[in-house]
Amino acid sequence: MSLSERDRRAKAVEKAYTLQVAEGSKAAASSGALGVGVVTLAHYTWPFFRRQTLPFKTFLVSLFGIYGLVIGADNALLSHEAEVRRSEQAIRRLAMLDLTRQGLVPTETAIAQWRAERVRQEAAVNP
C-alpha cells in the first residue's frame, strides 16, 4: 500500500469519525430533550413516578440520550459507508471501462494504477 493510499484512507477514517460525532451529538441532544419531556410528563401525571428518586429519573433521561447517541452515530456511519461504496463502485466501473478500451485487463493492480494516474492528472489541472 502506497503512502498516498494510506493518506487517503486516513482522511476517509477521520471524515467518518467526524461525521459520527456530529450526527451522534445531534441525535443525543434531541433524544435527551425527549427524555426530559417524558420524565417531566410522568412526574406531573403519575404519582408513583413522582415518588421515585432523582438519580433514577436522571438515569432514565441519560438512557434516552445514550440511545439517541448510539443510533444516530450508527445511522450516520451506515449511510456514509453506503455513499462511499457507491462512489467507489462508480470509480471502479469507470476504471474498468477505460482499461478495457485501452486493451488492458482490469486487474486490481491496474485499477489502482489507473486511480493513481487520475489523481496525478487532477492535481496537475487543479494545483
Side-chain angles (χ1 to χ4, degrees):
M1 188 180 333
S2 68
L3 187 59
S4 63
E5 179 71 17
R6 286 187 185 147
D7 288 343
R8 187 177 67 84
R9 288 186 181 189
K11 287 178 184 175
V13 167
E14 186 62 32
K15 181 179 178 184
Y17 176 74
T18 303
L19 181 68
Q20 265 188 305
V21 168
E23 294 299 318
S25 299
K26 287 179 193 174
S30 63
S31 294
L34 176 67
V36 168
V38 167
V39 167
T40 303
L41 182 67
H43 177 80
Y44 286 111
T45 59
W46 195 17
F48 175 75
F49 192 82
R50 191 175 302 131
R51 288 191 299 265
Q52 301 305 313
T53 62
L54 181 62
F56 175 71
K57 294 173 185 175
T58 306
F59 173 71
L60 292 177
V61 171
S62 69
L63 281 180
F64 273 88
I66 291 169
Y67 176 80
L69 172 74
V70 171
I71 298 301
D74 191 45
N75 285 341
L77 183 61
L78 288 174
S79 56
H80 174 70
E81 285 176 345
E83 178 60 33
V84 168
R85 198 174 308 113
R86 277 192 296 274
S87 66
E88 285 291 322
Q89 192 62 26
I91 290 171
R92 288 180 57 79
R93 190 175 300 121
L94 248 165
M96 287 190 277
L97 285 171
D98 193 35
L99 290 170
T100 303
R101 285 185 192 130
Q102 295 174 16
L104 300 171
V105 177
T107 61
E108 291 297 322
T109 305
I111 291 172
Q113 290 170 350
W114 181 89
R115 182 189 300 244
E117 180 61 33
R118 185 173 173 190
V119 168
R120 278 193 294 275
Q121 287 173 355
E122 289 177 2
V125 172
N126 300 325

